[in-house]
Amino acid sequence: MDKRLLTERDICTKFILPAVKRAGWDEMLQVREEVYFTKGRIIVRGKLVTRGKAKKADFVLYYKPNIPIALIEAKDNNHSVGDGMQQGLDYAETLDIPFVFSSNGDGFVFHDRTGQSATIETNLGLDTFPSPVDLWARYRAWKGLDAEAEQIVLQDYFDDGSGKAPRYYQVNAVNAAIEAIAKGRDRVLLVMATGTGKTYTAFQIIWRLWRAGRKKRILFLADRNVLIDQTMVNDFRPFGAAMAKLSTNAKTIERQDGTKVDLTLALDTKRRIDTAFEIYLGLYQAITGPEDRQKLYREFSPGFFDLIVIDECHRGSAAEDSAWREILEYFSSATQIGLTATPKETEYVSNTDYFGAPVFTYSLKQGISDGFLAPYKVIKVHIDRDVEGYRPEKGQRDRDGEEVEDRIYNTKDFDRTLVLDDRTKLTAKKVTEFLKESGDRFQKTIVFCVDEEHAARMRQALINENADLVAENARYVMRITGSDKEGQDQLGNFIDPESKYPVLVTTSRLLSTGVDAQTCRLIVLDRHVGSMTEFKQIVGRGTRVHEDTKKFYFTLIDFRGATAHFADPDFDGDPAQIYVPGEDDPITPPDDAPQGEDTPPKPGADETVVDQPGLPIPPGGPIRKVYVDGVGARIVAERVEYLDANGKLVTESLRDFTKTALKKRFASLDDFLKRWKSTERKQAIIEELEAEGLALDAIGQELAKNLDPFDLICHVAFDRQPLTRRERAENVKKRDVFTKYGPQARAVLDALLEKYRDEGVLNLDDSNVLKIEPFSGMGSVVQLIKAFGGKEGFEQAVHELQDALYQETA
């Protein structure tokens, strides 16, 4: 057997895997091949949504399930033994794997990322691959694990047998937290972007510590009832009878599988606590308050809990005098794990000061890059009153007949102290226009308003703009705020992918955090957002990918300039596109339409919390609003921005963007022509471009010409006059390049040429094409290939056909 003729897969099967098994690795329990660990970035260009390539490791070796310690990157034998090392190191850094091997079937190159070895890289023979015991001993020494800590670290993950496995970054987060706690750390912070499964990650951490007997009584704290209830019946379900909610209100909840369950309660009607449970879940607001009688948590002894997990700990828990912090201080002897999407760092508040530096971080940017989170487009709408400000005419009267104070009002005033009803109506009109032009008026939408009153007016304006659909079902538009019971009762339906209504929801802050709106496709900002923390939370409402309903990206319409936060270096997940429509422009981007503190901080002047459940009404009563009618409002200001290769927003059309990117890859027309001619599989070039976000289909649709990728690149990047596929096919026929072949071979080549003309197929040399019509009617695959003298003859003939197709370059 000549090794150099073997494929990479053959090298893996015949040489690498046997060497690993001889070293004592269990093929069934410890070895996984072709491990895809990302989904592939979702690339949005106009109407086209594609995915980049998912990352795949050839081998990952596990000491125990979900404890990866080694990675092997394989190459075929035409490469040297170490050629896969750099790629392997890149993957290992992402997967947090310390030991990396590269092989071409002749032996291994071993790289020790721990820095513990005298030599970082060494060459090993096929028979000297290290055993699991050897690598685990190195791992233990690197992590500083004693026997007790090792027992905790090796505790199994929960596995329900369904095949559900944590994603790579969840494994990294769980293992980092477990190792930190095993070594005695009692304050742990995990930073994970909204939509990346913080609750599931928390469950696996709690499960392993609980099963290992290290933590016997556990408290999970959150700030939304829906978070507690859904957590109990879904992610925390395996805790079963050991778990209860700190509440007096009995409730029946529907699980993800459609079954219903009654929540177990740890409180009776007199708020007495049953201390027989091991896992408690509770709302901050339900177990504490300003008065002593409300401080239910004090019914537990300070040492009752061994572990407390705090969900969304960027909120009030970070402030030293907050009621939430009070709970953490009371149970100070417990290990405490903080979960947050947005670590809060200000002059006055710091959750990293309390918890210490994060033991693990997974950002919005990384989630989008890996393809686990949805990218998004931004539409910036500038209203004249916001841009220019509004100064009332002399003697201008408000709705109550009182004179309006003479000063310049701006975007921070509108709907807080001064109401221009025409502005509200215009906003509702533009949102409705977007829904109509997008071709889907039933995409779940959240409209963030200044306060509850503004949310009520926006609801009314949206109802009037969508009277036809409201007539079909009154729940098409609803307000969901803290004081609106009817609205809150519909929150579960809004976030349920199976529930059609409500569709358009107006709110101010109730939906800005912690609500898992998987199918939300449109977020509208009609209020100023002063806090970067809150801005990230709002963006997070749309970042979940929902493949069942084909939700791969979402749109954010900004009426108040809140997206200026994109320019802040603290923001880490830039949009895929920004579009600013002019006065007479459609609201959908052209490529889309149409388609199917020196004291602990208090809320700022523009951040009054008005609809958070459980909070007292601010003192001083509501602010009097001035209502001015008949003033009018209009849209002013078009710009499309795309992310460049460095993640920066650049202002240019899709065509200009594509041209710039292509010219960076191909320095000149000659450079491109050489690459195209020398590449036997033309489709490989197209796939490379798509993986980098250059989907040529989108620019082809914009040009509205029937061009193949070769002509698109020549035309867009180098301004060459393109030929259509039909013109290229006719030119080949005129030159009669098939005369040297027999009748059957010529018939096959003619049919391939027709297939190229009609469908633009580039991988013509794939013999599988001969299995379909019209080729299947000409004879069997074996017969047709035999007409060319064999497979090599067939491939040579097709390559000659491709060369003939691209003979003209102008």
Side-chain angles (χ1 to χ4, degrees):
M1 186 191 305
D2 187 345
K3 256 191 205 180
R4 288 169 299 177
L5 298 177
L6 297 177
T7 64
E8 182 182 296
R9 199 69 244 145
D10 278 332
I11 295 294
C12 290
T13 304
K14 294 176 170 59
F15 297 96
I16 298 176
L17 183 59
V20 169
K21 288 164 68 177
R22 283 195 300 272
W25 294 86
D26 187 315
E27 183 181 5
M28 297 303 293
L29 299 177
Q30 295 180 303
V31 181
R32 282 187 60 201
E33 297 183 63
E34 296 194 305
V35 182
Y36 285 91
F37 56 92
T38 72
K39 293 275 283 184
R41 184 183 187 122
I42 297 168
I43 299 157
V44 184
R45 288 281 178 259
K47 289 180 282 190
L48 192 71
V49 179
T50 57
R51 275 197 187 270
K53 283 189 177 177
K55 291 184 178 179
K56 177 193 71 175
D58 291 321
F59 290 87
V60 176
L61 308 183
Y62 300 81
Y63 188 66
K64 286 194 73 173
N66 291 308
I67 304 180
I69 60 171
L71 180 148
I72 306 172
E73 190 59 33
K75 295 293 178 186
D76 64 38
N77 201 248
N78 294 304
H79 292 79
S80 67
V81 68
D83 274 3
M85 182 55 72
Q86 292 198 145
Q87 187 175 15
L89 288 171
D90 179 50
Y91 291 172
E93 185 175 355
T94 300
L95 296 170
D96 197 23
I97 289 175
F99 309 118
V100 186
F101 299 83
S102 173
S103 179
N104 65 350
D106 290 339
F108 296 94
V109 174
F110 171 38
H111 184 109
D112 185 349
R113 296 180 63 237
T114 69
Q116 305 272 309
S117 301
T119 306
I120 294 176
E121 278 193 3
T122 51
N123 291 299
L124 303 173
L126 284 176
D127 292 325
T128 55
F129 193 86
S131 69
V133 173
D134 179 16
L135 288 188
W136 181 249
R138 292 174 183 243
Y139 186 94
R140 271 189 62 182
W142 172 48
K143 292 289 187 179
L145 302 176
D146 58 23
E148 184 184 1
E150 180 186 31
Q151 179 195 354
I152 298 163
V153 168
L154 290 178
Q155 176 61 46
D156 289 334
Y157 279 63
F158 174 77
D159 182 357
D160 62 2
S162 68
K164 178 181 179 180
R167 293 169 173 170
Y168 85 85
Y169 62 84
Q170 293 171 334
V171 168
N172 290 354
V174 173
N175 290 346
I178 294 291
E179 286 171 8
I181 292 167
K183 290 191 287 187
R185 185 163 168 174
D186 57 8
R187 299 291 181 269
V188 174
L189 181 64
L190 297 175
V191 178
M192 295 173 67
T194 301
T196 55
K198 290 193 294 296
T199 310
Y200 176 70
T201 302
F203 162 71
Q204 288 289 4
I205 294 169
I206 295 169
W207 176 268
R208 291 175 66 196
L209 292 170
W210 183 59
R211 295 286 291 184
R214 181 67 177 257
K215 305 297 177 187
K216 296 177 181 177
R217 284 173 168 159
I218 295 137
L219 174 63
F220 179 86
L221 288 172
D223 70 337
R224 292 280 189 271
N225 243 319
V226 66
L227 296 181
I228 297 293
D229 298 345
Q230 292 300 324
T231 295
M232 287 184 73
V233 300
N234 293 317
D235 286 331
F236 279 33
R237 180 178 177 179
F239 289 125
M243 170 179 64
K245 180 180 179 181
L246 287 168
S247 173
T248 57
N249 298 321
K251 193 180 284 188
T252 301
I253 301 294
E254 187 173 318
R255 292 185 174 127
Q256 288 169 335
D257 60 9
T259 60
K260 293 185 177 180
V261 63
D262 293 327
L263 296 185
T264 304
L265 304 180
L267 299 180
D268 62 18
T269 54
K270 296 182 179 178
R271 288 172 63 84
R272 288 176 300 204
I273 298 173
D274 184 343
T275 57
F277 297 100
E278 294 174 73
I279 316 290
Y280 293 83
L281 294 89
L283 283 179
Y284 289 101
Q285 302 95 317
I287 64 172
T288 190
E291 298 178 26
D292 281 348
R293 65 179 179 80
Q294 295 171 306
K295 300 185 190 301
L296 180 69
Y297 68 87
R298 289 187 178 171
E299 297 299 314
F300 294 102
S301 66
F304 185 84
F305 291 110
D306 305 311
L307 174 67
I308 299 179
V309 178
I310 308 97
D311 194 20
E312 304 294 0
C313 69
H314 60 273
R315 293 174 70 83
S317 57
E320 287 185 27
D321 68 342
S322 74
W324 299 1
R325 181 74 167 261
E326 191 181 305
I327 302 172
L328 306 187
E329 299 284 2
Y330 181 78
F331 296 114
S332 59
S333 62
T335 297
Q336 296 174 5
I337 301 174
L339 306 173
T340 182
T342 50
K344 187 156 189 169
E345 288 298 323
T346 71
E347 188 179 348
Y348 313 110
V349 180
S350 170
N351 51 18
T352 59
D353 177 57
Y354 182 79
F355 288 102
V359 298
F360 176 80
T361 298
Y362 189 73
S363 68
L364 171 64
K365 185 176 184 177
Q366 188 63 49
I368 292 174
S369 177
D370 286 344
F372 293 117
L373 295 181
Y376 56 102
K377 300 181 176 187
V378 174
I379 299 173
K380 291 184 177 181
V381 182
H382 297 313
I383 296 175
D384 58 348
R385 299 300 176 190
D386 297 345
V387 175
E388 301 158 9
Y390 164 68
R391 183 175 181 180
E393 296 176 5
K394 189 172 182 180
Q396 175 84 50
R397 301 282 172 177
D398 66 15
R399 195 179 289 174
D400 297 329
E402 297 185 24
E403 190 169 334
V404 181
E405 180 186 350
D406 183 14
R407 68 177 179 85
I408 295 176
Y409 296 87
N410 59 34
T411 183
K412 289 188 179 181
D413 297 308
F414 299 140
D415 299 298
R416 184 170 298 285
T417 59
L418 182 87
V419 175
L420 302 178
D421 220 30
D422 288 340
R423 189 194 175 285
T424 308
K425 291 174 182 175
L426 179 62
T427 301
K429 182 172 184 278
K430 282 293 166 186
V431 172
T432 305
E433 275 180 22
F434 173 85
L435 293 168
K436 288 178 177 177
E437 291 173 14
S438 72
D440 179 12
R441 294 176 69 188
F442 282 89
Q443 51 189 298
K444 296 285 179 87
T445 300
I446 306 174
V447 184
F448 287 99
C449 302
V450 169
D451 55 22
E452 289 198 346
E453 184 274 342
H454 182 208
R457 282 187 293 105
M458 185 61 70
R459 171 190 165 276
Q460 183 180 19
L462 285 166
I463 283 174
N464 291 334
E465 288 290 336
N466 296 274
D468 55 337
L469 295 183
V470 173
E472 292 177 16
N473 192 308
R475 289 185 298 140
Y476 179 75
V477 184
M478 293 201 75
R479 181 182 74 157
I480 300 182
T481 57
S483 67
D484 192 326
K485 185 180 185 305
E486 288 74 17
Q488 283 208 45
D489 287 346
Q490 290 298 319
L491 179 57
N493 287 327
F494 179 72
I495 65 180
D496 181 0
E498 302 295 321
S499 182
K500 187 174 183 179
Y501 300 101
V503 179
L504 311 185
V505 161
T506 68
T507 188
S508 69
R509 279 175 172 75
L510 185 59
L511 296 178
S512 64
T513 65
V515 175
D516 189 5
Q518 300 174 51
T519 55
C520 177
R521 295 171 186 265
L522 178 61
I523 292 173
V524 179
L525 282 172
D526 194 29
R527 70 169 171 83
H528 181 70
V529 182
S531 155
M532 171 64 78
T533 298
E534 186 177 19
F535 181 68
K536 284 186 178 182
Q537 288 289 328
I538 288 172
V539 170
R541 294 312 101 217
T543 52
R544 287 168 176 81
V545 174
H546 198 261
E547 301 203 12
D548 290 350
T549 57
K550 307 295 183 193
K551 182 214 161 179
F552 294 103
Y553 70 95
F554 68 102
T555 305
L556 194 157
I557 303 181
D558 179 18
F559 288 92
R560 302 273 183 147
T563 49
H565 282 298
F566 293 143
D568 191 311
D570 285 343
F571 192 77
D572 62 6
D574 293 317
Q577 177 187 4
I578 292 184
Y579 167 60
V580 184
E583 183 174 355
D584 299 318
D585 293 328
I587 192 161
T588 48
D591 300 326
D592 287 356
Q595 69 177 38
E597 306 171 81
D598 55 18
T599 57
K602 305 271 188 296
D606 55 348
E607 290 186 304
T608 304
V609 179
V610 295
D611 62 354
Q612 185 174 320
L615 289 187
I617 295 171
I623 299 170
R624 178 185 178 272
K625 294 190 180 185
V626 176
Y627 294 81
V628 182
D629 297 329
V631 170
R634 62 185 178 85
I635 304 297
V636 294
E638 170 175 11
R639 184 173 75 240
V640 180
E641 297 188 10
Y642 288 95
L643 284 180
D644 68 9
N646 301 313
K648 300 297 181 187
L649 286 164
V650 289
T651 305
E652 54 195 347
S653 69
L654 176 58
R655 179 170 180 161
D656 289 340
F657 171 82
T658 307
K659 180 174 184 174
T660 304
L662 287 170
K663 294 196 82 166
K664 281 183 181 175
R665 173 168 270 274
F666 306 113
S668 64
L669 178 61
D670 283 343
D671 181 34
F672 167 65
L673 294 176
K674 283 177 187 171
R675 173 76 195 282
W676 186 268
K677 192 170 183 180
S678 64
T679 304
E680 288 189 355
R681 186 171 169 268
K682 314 298 184 191
Q683 187 65 27
I685 297 176
I686 311 309
E687 289 170 359
E688 283 176 27
L689 294 172
E690 286 180 349
E692 295 176 15
L694 281 171
L696 293 174
D697 286 358
I699 188 67
Q701 288 175 13
E702 183 176 280
L703 293 173
K705 292 183 179 178
N706 192 19
L707 305 179
D708 85 350
F710 175 87
D711 281 285
L712 275 172
I713 294 171
C714 289
H715 179 55
V716 172
F718 305 108
D719 301 314
R720 301 305 295 258
Q721 183 64 32
L723 295 176
T724 65
R725 293 200 303 267
R726 177 176 291 276
E727 287 170 330
R728 289 201 175 277
E730 290 301 323
N731 287 341
V732 173
K733 283 187 175 181
K734 285 175 191 173
R735 289 197 300 273
D736 204 12
V737 295
F738 305 150
T739 52
K740 65 180 178 180
Y741 296 103
Q744 191 173 32
R746 276 205 306 274
V748 169
L749 291 171
D750 279 329
L752 283 172
L753 195 59
E754 291 295 311
K755 202 157 193 65
Y756 163 81
R757 187 189 70 184
D758 295 338
E759 301 174 27
V761 178
L762 291 180
N763 53 337
L764 298 171
D765 57 349
D766 184 351
S767 58
N768 286 320
V769 76
L770 302 178
K771 296 178 181 178
I772 61 175
E773 287 291 341
F775 307 100
S776 56
M778 299 179 184
S780 69
V781 174
V782 173
Q783 287 174 332
L784 297 182
I785 288 180
K786 197 173 180 182
F788 292 90
K791 189 173 182 181
E792 282 188 18
F794 169 71
E795 290 176 350
Q796 183 180 344
V798 173
H799 292 150
E800 287 174 2
L801 167 60
Q802 287 180 328
D803 289 342
L805 275 170
Y806 300 112
Q807 195 165 313
E808 293 91 350
T809 61

